[in-house]
Amino acid sequence: MTADFTEVPVLDIAALLDEDHPDYARSVADLGDAARRVGFAQIIGHGISSALFDDLLTATRTFFALPEQEKLKVHIGHSSNHRGYVPPGEEVFAAGTVDAKEAFDLSVDLPADDPRYLAGHPLLGPNQWPELAGFREAVTAWYKAVFALSRRLLRAFAVALGEPADRFDRHVTAPPSQLRLIHYPFDPAAADRPGIGAHTDYECFTLLRPTAPGLEVLNAAGTWIDVPLIDDAFVINIGDLLEIWSNGEFVATTHRVRKVVEERFSFPLFVNVDDDTEVAPLPALAVNGKPARTPVIAGEHLFAQTAQSFRYLQERLARGEVTLPEGAHPLATFGRKALTSH
């Protein structure tokens, strides 16, 4: 891995949407190179309709413009499976930074009679939805489209690691792949606060659509590198689980959203595998004396990281209502460590 990348590559992934495309192998190689050197890329040629994004943005603006008491009716703390509104200050990362953002979190929308939900699974079950005309429909349409894209990319990542394209498919039946609708309001009085503090993402990889610049990634020399806004592009970045599966060949790069200088919306889909999946270094990558990364159970890792970064879950931990999985990683365990203050 280079210590001093100075920009995030831009990749046209149109060939990755068709595994018989003559440029498929080259596009896979480009994706793998970005995952190894930078852990981030911007992708175009993804095939997601701009109309879907317009509908999503309209619905999101309408929701966050509601009075606070209306948004709090679907507060994430009302949910037993981590779905709903996240007010400012609810989420705190390892450095203790208080973010200048609010969010709405959702995931695969399982029915209320799903056995996993009835058994008390902390991250599976139904979504909370606000009483807002058209909101559920617009958000669900976006979720389905981007989730379908993520399946194509997960297959490409498998090939980039020297595995069959379907290597990870068996682990994707009802994964808790979370979509966040994030609003960064511009408040001159709070302009010295970060949008989101430095962190890595907990899942396999992330697909992000922002509406304004602000994202920065950390290279191994300790320098924050700006990710410029490209119209209609997704940002893709490696998460903790692919770092483990690749035995560190892919890197979950630390990133943040810098101080908020204009109103910004962003829409990350955190692409996961089924919660009971054991994620361990692929055998072909745990050779030649290279130390093997410690395996994790995908759902346990996600819940442990989530529980350590949300105030309402920290309170449940303190009351003994939930517990961390045995051997849970502390926050900020993965990726390039920050060498400078953030």
Side-chain angles (χ1 to χ4, degrees):
M1 293 178 291
T2 59
D4 56 355
F5 67 84
T6 57
E7 61 183 10
V8 171
V10 180
L11 308 178
D12 187 332
I13 65 160
L16 298 183
L17 306 182
D18 176 6
E19 293 176 16
D20 294 323
H21 194 286
D23 291 332
Y24 184 78
R26 178 191 57 78
S27 293
V28 165
D30 290 344
L31 184 68
D33 176 68
R36 291 177 175 92
R37 291 192 308 106
V38 183
F40 268 79
Q42 298 210 65
I43 58 173
I44 58 176
H46 47 72
I48 301 292
S49 164
S50 59
L52 287 179
F53 184 69
D54 292 343
D55 290 346
L56 173 73
L57 184 56
T58 297
T60 300
R61 288 183 183 277
T62 303
F63 172 74
F64 286 120
L66 291 173
E68 190 71 10
Q69 62 268 27
E70 288 298 312
K71 292 182 286 189
L72 289 173
K73 288 180 179 178
V74 288
H75 186 278
I76 198 163
H78 299 331
S79 166
S80 61
N81 58 318
H82 197 65
R83 312 290 174 89
Y85 175 60
V86 181
E90 173 64 47
E91 188 177 16
V92 180
F93 290 109
T97 54
V98 176
D99 301 335
K101 74 173 193 309
E102 56 183 341
F104 184 88
D105 291 357
L106 64 135
S107 190
V108 56
D109 200 9
L110 299 178
D113 61 357
D114 187 280
R116 291 160 293 191
Y117 178 64
L118 295 176
H121 193 288
L123 295 173
L124 291 175
N127 291 320
Q128 285 197 92
W129 295 106
E131 295 182 2
L132 189 63
F135 180 86
R136 180 174 184 169
E137 292 77 10
V139 172
T140 299
W142 179 259
Y143 186 96
K144 289 180 177 178
V146 182
F147 182 78
L149 174 62
S150 79
R151 295 295 306 274
R152 292 287 188 182
L153 289 165
L154 189 60
R155 291 174 64 87
F157 278 126
V159 177
L161 289 169
E163 296 287 321
D166 65 355
R167 172 61 183 81
F168 302 124
D169 285 356
R170 73 197 76 166
H171 303 303
V172 185
T173 60
S177 295
Q178 182 189 66
L179 174 64
R180 304 198 81 184
L181 320 179
I182 307 177
H183 176 220
Y184 302 88
F186 177 56
D187 179 2
D192 61 340
R193 289 166 53 194
I196 289 183
H199 65 287
T200 63
D201 292 340
Y202 314 140
E203 298 84 355
C204 290
F205 62 94
T206 302
L207 285 168
L208 167 73
R209 277 292 299 270
T211 64
L215 180 64
E216 296 177 327
V217 302
L218 186 70
N219 70 16
T223 303
W224 289 103
I225 305 301
D226 180 63
V227 182
L229 181 71
I230 298 178
D231 186 47
D232 201 39
F234 281 86
V235 178
I236 185 170
N237 64 276
I238 301 300
D240 297 348
L241 297 187
L242 272 182
E243 183 172 302
I244 296 172
W245 249 322
S246 69
N247 204 29
E249 192 167 318
F250 291 174
V251 61
T253 301
T254 302
H255 52 285
R256 69 182 184 184
V257 174
R258 63 175 178 261
K259 297 172 184 178
V260 177
V261 297
E262 61 182 303
E263 185 177 39
R264 181 177 186 266
F265 295 87
S266 72
F267 304 95
L269 177 70
F270 300 102
V271 180
N272 213 337
V273 287
D274 292 336
D275 68 293
D276 59 353
T277 303
E278 182 183 45
V279 178
L282 295 166
L285 300 176
V287 294
N288 299 326
K290 185 177 181 180
R293 299 295 179 96
T294 303
V296 299
I297 303 300
E300 291 182 358
H301 177 65
L302 176 57
F303 179 71
Q305 299 297 291
T306 303
Q308 292 176 82
S309 56
F310 277 78
R311 294 187 189 278
Y312 88 96
L313 285 172
Q314 292 169 4
E315 292 169 0
R316 290 182 184 177
L317 285 169
R319 294 193 299 265
E321 296 172 6
V322 297
T323 58
L324 292 180
E326 184 177 351
H329 286 277
L331 293 175
T333 301
F334 292 83
R336 297 186 173 95
K337 300 296 188 292
L339 303 179
T340 57
S341 172
H342 55 266

